[in-house]
Each structure stands twice: as structure tokens, then as C-alpha cells.
Amino acid sequence: MSRTTAVHIDLAAISENIRTLRRGLAAHQFMAVVKADAFGHGAVQVAKHIEASVDALAVAFTEEAVALREMGVSAPLLILEGPHTASDLALAGKLNLWPVIHSDEQIEWCKTLGADLSQAWIKIDTGMHRLGFAAERYAGVRDILLSYGIGEITAMSHLASAEEPDDALTRAQLLSWEETVRHGQDTTSLHNSAATQRGLSASSDWVRVGYALYGGQIKGLPNPAPLRPAMRFSSSVIALRDVPIGESVGYRGRWTAQRDSVIATVPVGYGDGYPWGAADGTPVEIDGEIAPLAGQVSMDMVTVDVTDCPNLTLGAPAVLWGDQPSIDDVAEHCGTIGYELMTRLTSRANRIYHT
Ligand SMILES: Cc1ncc(COP(=O)(O)O)c(C=O)c1O
């Protein structure tokens, strides 16, 4: 079989990113977020590769945690959405998972099942209004959970715009957070990638890092210690054709040649997770040169204007994202974010792991 389209995952880059991020931290404990199949990088492969170099892992829901335990991952595992049912909570006790508790219903389940939990994290809604208890309820919830025999409590919250520390919402969230946790003895966790990379000054004994692990670069953040992209989505050229001035390319003839042009066809499309919404001009690396996407993305193919890439031959390598173009650059041309591009890849393109 000869399809060259593949998603290469550089596990060593993830390890290096952890070391880079840790260098900028003081005594923080490091939680690696491996939800959504480790942002499309393969949760089992990533978790197994990094579990010894982090303090804990996090997933979104219980099924993701159970799948990791079944594959032999033994690091502490936080369930960010907490249990959806009482039986999820029972599993947390059995498998040593740390549930996030954010609702009264979950507190009720803890009455009978809490004694089996080594830890629970209480989610405080400091202003994102997605999950969590109002800040003034924190102390009461904490006392109830401890009375049910839960071993240890960590206070957590999540920032809606950590990349913008001066934003009014961020400032309001930080105020609410510090007022809630300042005098408590519990450990705390606030920082995501952006807060960690910014060195945001706020209580956060634990950092919970997702996107930065994989080398994603959130727009507007300082990047003093560059992170390495762990994902390279690549393919190769299967057709080259001359397209005369005035002729169009692809579905609905969206792109029209403004000069006599050369178009390369690359066998990757939205069926693999390359975004259908990619605009003309989205960067693609062809044989080491950046060239612009030309025409609507098809299910299985994209077309690229390679008029300015001399001496191209069939089989020339193509990179949809990786070192260049970065996934964040591509996302900007597609009206989305790199997080979505990482996690929307389908299983159609082979994952190839490098250590
Ligand atoms: C509650 C929570 N904590 C931490 C993270 C990690 O965020 P990031 O990937 O920006 O580091 C996420 C990601 O969505 C999250 O939902």
C-alpha cells in the first residue's frame, strides 16, 4: 500500500515540551491534559510515553479514563467533567480516578461513594459559567466532601481568556479565585497552557496543560522558550498540471488562475480532517516551500498553486501542518483554532509514532 498521507506524532517533542514548560515553573505540580485522544495525538501512546515525567494526567470523562487504565496507564487521572452518573463515581473509587465535583447531584453520590476516593477536585465557577459552584459555596462543599471521607481536596477553576490577563473577565475571575482560595489550606489549580506560558500571577499549585504540550502556540502569547509541534500532517503530490490563465480549479470553480499556473494535487481532504473551510491562500509546504491552497478542499484531495515552486516532480513531499506551516497559521486561514484542527483528524490517515 502506498498512500503517503499520514499523521506523524513525535513523542519526543511532547517530552521536550514538558521539560521546557517545567523550566519556567516554580514548585508547581504538572498535569498533562490528554483528553480527546490527547488532542488527536493518541491518548494511550502519549499517556504511556509521558506518565513518568508528569504528576498526573487529565481527561474529560470517565470512559476516556477507563480506556487508559485498561491499557495499563497507572498515573493519577483527573476527570475534568467529573462523574456523569453514580456508577461513574463508583468506577473512580475502583480505578483511583480523581473526580472533579461541580454539582449538587455529584455531592449526593459522594455521600455513599466518597470514602473510596483518594482525592476530589472542587470546581469553582469564577465567571466562565460552564461548570462549578458559586465561589461562596466553596468552603461548605469542601466540608461536606471531607465529612464523607474523601482523602484530599483540591480547589480548581478555569479561565475563559487566560491569554489576555488584562481583560475585564480575566481580572474578575482572578479576583473571585484569590478571594476564595487565599486563606484555605487546600491545594489549588487554575493554570492552563496560556496562564502557564504567561506566568500568570495567581494561586495554582497545579498547572493543567493541554495545547502547549503538543507544541500549539496560542496567538498573542510570548514564546521565549519555543515549543516543538508534535504533529506533522503530511502527504505528497500525486498530480501536476498546467492550468492556463482564466481557467478555474476544483468544486464550483472557486479559484481562477490569474496567470498561466501549475497546480499540484495532494491526496488529503476533509475526509482525513483537513478543514473544508480552508480559504484560498492557506499555506501548504510543498517540497520545502510554502505554497498557497488554490480551490475548495475536496473529501480526498486539495489543490495547491505551485507556479512559484520550480523543478517540482510527482511524489514531492507536502506538509499540511507541522514545523511549517504551523497548525496555528493554518487555523487562521480556516476561521478556526489549532485545538480544533488537532482534534478533528479522522482515523483515515495513519498515525505514525516517532520517539
Ligand atoms: C478544565 C480544563 N483545564 C485545562 C485545560 C487545558 O487547556 P489548554 O489546552 O489550553 O492548556 C482544559 C482544556 O480545554 C480544560 O477544559
Side-chain angles (χ1 to χ4, degrees), residues 33 35 39 80 123 130 158 192-193 208-211 339:
V33 181
K35 63 181 177 159
F39 289 51
L80 291 165
K123 181 111 182 222
R130 193 173 63 169
H158 194 50
N192 57 4
S193 291
R208 308 185 306 268
V209 179
Y211 196 54
Y339 287 68

mmCIF file of all heavy atoms in Angstrom, residues 33 35 39 80 123 130 158 192-193 208-211 339, ligand 1:
data_model
loop_
_atom_site.group_PDB
_atom_site.id
_atom_site.type_symbol
_atom_site.label_atom_id
_atom_site.label_comp_id
_atom_site.label_asym_id
_atom_site.label_seq_id
_atom_site.Cartn_x
_atom_site.Cartn_y
_atom_site.Cartn_z
ATOM 1 N N VAL A 33 -2.873 17.271 30.086
ATOM 2 C CA VAL A 33 -4.254 17.043 29.647
ATOM 3 C C VAL A 33 -4.222 16.193 28.367
ATOM 4 O O VAL A 33 -3.682 16.620 27.341
ATOM 5 C CB VAL A 33 -4.982 18.379 29.429
ATOM 6 C CG1 VAL A 33 -6.422 18.132 28.985
ATOM 7 C CG2 VAL A 33 -4.972 19.212 30.716
ATOM 8 N N LYS A 35 -7.097 14.565 27.143
ATOM 9 C CA LYS A 35 -8.474 14.312 26.692
ATOM 10 C C LYS A 35 -8.534 14.360 25.166
ATOM 11 O O LYS A 35 -7.578 14.808 24.514
ATOM 12 C CB LYS A 35 -9.420 15.345 27.307
ATOM 13 C CG LYS A 35 -9.132 16.771 26.885
ATOM 14 C CD LYS A 35 -10.091 17.736 27.534
ATOM 15 C CE LYS A 35 -9.728 19.168 27.155
ATOM 16 N NZ LYS A 35 -10.798 20.103 27.297
ATOM 17 N N PHE A 39 -5.647 15.296 22.325
ATOM 18 C CA PHE A 39 -5.756 16.323 21.286
ATOM 19 C C PHE A 39 -5.409 15.729 19.910
ATOM 20 O O PHE A 39 -4.725 16.357 19.093
ATOM 21 C CB PHE A 39 -4.840 17.511 21.586
ATOM 22 C CG PHE A 39 -5.248 18.386 22.745
ATOM 23 C CD1 PHE A 39 -5.539 17.850 23.986
ATOM 24 C CD2 PHE A 39 -5.335 19.772 22.597
ATOM 25 C CE1 PHE A 39 -5.912 18.663 25.058
ATOM 26 C CE2 PHE A 39 -5.710 20.592 23.672
ATOM 27 C CZ PHE A 39 -5.986 20.030 24.905
ATOM 28 N N LEU A 80 -12.115 15.764 34.230
ATOM 29 C CA LEU A 80 -12.418 17.203 34.257
ATOM 30 C C LEU A 80 -13.918 17.498 34.341
ATOM 31 O O LEU A 80 -14.321 18.488 34.942
ATOM 32 C CB LEU A 80 -11.824 17.888 33.019
ATOM 33 C CG LEU A 80 -10.292 17.950 32.994
ATOM 34 C CD1 LEU A 80 -9.800 18.294 31.587
ATOM 35 C CD2 LEU A 80 -9.756 18.956 33.999
ATOM 36 N N LYS A 123 -14.731 22.171 41.667
ATOM 37 C CA LYS A 123 -14.679 23.205 40.625
ATOM 38 C C LYS A 123 -15.453 24.428 41.076
ATOM 39 O O LYS A 123 -16.634 24.346 41.443
ATOM 40 C CB LYS A 123 -15.275 22.653 39.330
ATOM 41 C CG LYS A 123 -15.238 23.635 38.179
ATOM 42 C CD LYS A 123 -14.277 23.189 37.123
ATOM 43 C CE LYS A 123 -14.143 24.142 35.975
ATOM 44 N NZ LYS A 123 -14.097 23.475 34.705
ATOM 45 N N ARG A 130 -19.627 27.690 33.033
ATOM 46 C CA ARG A 130 -19.782 26.444 32.269
ATOM 47 C C ARG A 130 -20.023 25.310 33.259
ATOM 48 O O ARG A 130 -20.986 24.586 33.158
ATOM 49 C CB ARG A 130 -18.501 26.224 31.450
ATOM 50 C CG ARG A 130 -18.576 25.189 30.384
ATOM 51 C CD ARG A 130 -17.325 25.161 29.525
ATOM 52 N NE ARG A 130 -16.114 24.810 30.259
ATOM 53 C CZ ARG A 130 -14.949 24.511 29.691
ATOM 54 N NH1 ARG A 130 -14.824 24.541 28.373
ATOM 55 N NH2 ARG A 130 -13.900 24.197 30.417
ATOM 56 N N HIS A 158 -11.342 27.502 36.041
ATOM 57 C CA HIS A 158 -10.833 27.553 34.662
ATOM 58 C C HIS A 158 -11.031 28.969 34.138
ATOM 59 O O HIS A 158 -12.083 29.584 34.381
ATOM 60 C CB HIS A 158 -11.601 26.542 33.804
ATOM 61 C CG HIS A 158 -10.968 26.247 32.480
ATOM 62 N ND1 HIS A 158 -9.630 25.913 32.341
ATOM 63 C CD2 HIS A 158 -11.479 26.231 31.224
ATOM 64 C CE1 HIS A 158 -9.362 25.708 31.059
ATOM 65 N NE2 HIS A 158 -10.464 25.901 30.359
ATOM 66 N N ASN A 192 -4.016 26.929 32.887
ATOM 67 C CA ASN A 192 -3.999 26.125 31.661
ATOM 68 C C ASN A 192 -2.739 26.505 30.882
ATOM 69 O O ASN A 192 -1.839 27.159 31.432
ATOM 70 C CB ASN A 192 -5.285 26.371 30.859
ATOM 71 C CG ASN A 192 -5.466 27.856 30.537
ATOM 72 O OD1 ASN A 192 -4.618 28.692 30.839
ATOM 73 N ND2 ASN A 192 -6.573 28.188 29.914
ATOM 74 N N SER A 193 -2.664 26.136 29.608
ATOM 75 C CA SER A 193 -1.443 26.447 28.837
ATOM 76 C C SER A 193 -1.148 27.934 28.834
ATOM 77 O O SER A 193 -0.015 28.353 29.091
ATOM 78 C CB SER A 193 -1.602 25.994 27.378
ATOM 79 O OG SER A 193 -1.632 24.600 27.286
ATOM 80 N N ARG A 208 -2.516 22.724 34.653
ATOM 81 C CA ARG A 208 -3.196 21.712 33.809
ATOM 82 C C ARG A 208 -2.941 22.109 32.362
ATOM 83 O O ARG A 208 -3.579 23.012 31.831
ATOM 84 C CB ARG A 208 -4.702 21.691 34.073
ATOM 85 C CG ARG A 208 -5.111 21.552 35.526
ATOM 86 C CD ARG A 208 -6.628 21.421 35.660
ATOM 87 N NE ARG A 208 -7.372 22.483 35.014
ATOM 88 C CZ ARG A 208 -7.768 23.610 35.613
ATOM 89 N NH1 ARG A 208 -7.474 23.825 36.882
ATOM 90 N NH2 ARG A 208 -8.455 24.513 34.941
ATOM 91 N N VAL A 209 -1.970 21.448 31.746
ATOM 92 C CA VAL A 209 -1.508 21.910 30.430
ATOM 93 C C VAL A 209 -1.936 20.940 29.334
ATOM 94 O O VAL A 209 -1.656 19.745 29.405
ATOM 95 C CB VAL A 209 0.033 22.050 30.422
ATOM 96 C CG1 VAL A 209 0.519 22.496 29.052
ATOM 97 C CG2 VAL A 209 0.479 23.043 31.481
ATOM 98 N N GLY A 210 -2.638 21.470 28.339
ATOM 99 C CA GLY A 210 -3.031 20.662 27.184
ATOM 100 C C GLY A 210 -2.304 21.125 25.931
ATOM 101 O O GLY A 210 -1.237 20.604 25.566
ATOM 102 N N TYR A 211 -2.837 22.158 25.298
ATOM 103 C CA TYR A 211 -2.396 22.561 23.953
ATOM 104 C C TYR A 211 -0.877 22.758 23.841
ATOM 105 O O TYR A 211 -0.263 22.342 22.856
ATOM 106 C CB TYR A 211 -3.122 23.847 23.581
ATOM 107 C CG TYR A 211 -3.081 24.207 22.118
ATOM 108 C CD1 TYR A 211 -3.486 23.299 21.148
ATOM 109 C CD2 TYR A 211 -2.627 25.455 21.705
ATOM 110 C CE1 TYR A 211 -3.457 23.632 19.803
ATOM 111 C CE2 TYR A 211 -2.606 25.798 20.358
ATOM 112 C CZ TYR A 211 -3.023 24.882 19.414
ATOM 113 O OH TYR A 211 -2.987 25.214 18.086
ATOM 114 N N TYR A 339 -6.548 24.031 18.159
ATOM 115 C CA TYR A 339 -7.142 22.989 19.003
ATOM 116 C C TYR A 339 -8.127 22.148 18.175
ATOM 117 O O TYR A 339 -8.191 20.931 18.306
ATOM 118 C CB TYR A 339 -7.959 23.604 20.139
ATOM 119 C CG TYR A 339 -7.227 24.263 21.285
ATOM 120 C CD1 TYR A 339 -6.516 25.432 21.107
ATOM 121 C CD2 TYR A 339 -7.322 23.753 22.570
ATOM 122 C CE1 TYR A 339 -5.906 26.079 22.187
ATOM 123 C CE2 TYR A 339 -6.717 24.381 23.649
ATOM 124 C CZ TYR A 339 -6.011 25.551 23.453
ATOM 125 O OH TYR A 339 -5.422 26.174 24.512
HETATM 126 C C1 LIG B 1 -10.840 22.411 32.697
HETATM 127 C C2 LIG B 1 -9.673 22.445 31.772
HETATM 128 N N1 LIG B 1 -8.437 22.560 32.276
HETATM 129 C C3 LIG B 1 -7.353 22.611 31.485
HETATM 130 C C4 LIG B 1 -7.466 22.539 30.114
HETATM 131 C C5 LIG B 1 -6.238 22.643 29.250
HETATM 132 O O1 LIG B 1 -6.284 23.825 28.486
HETATM 133 P P1 LIG B 1 -5.117 24.135 27.442
HETATM 134 O O2 LIG B 1 -5.248 23.073 26.390
HETATM 135 O O3 LIG B 1 -5.456 25.480 26.926
HETATM 136 O O4 LIG B 1 -3.857 24.036 28.188
HETATM 137 C C6 LIG B 1 -8.721 22.414 29.545
HETATM 138 C C7 LIG B 1 -8.835 22.344 28.077
HETATM 139 O O5 LIG B 1 -9.777 22.550 27.415
HETATM 140 C C8 LIG B 1 -9.861 22.378 30.389
HETATM 141 O O6 LIG B 1 -11.106 22.261 29.889
#
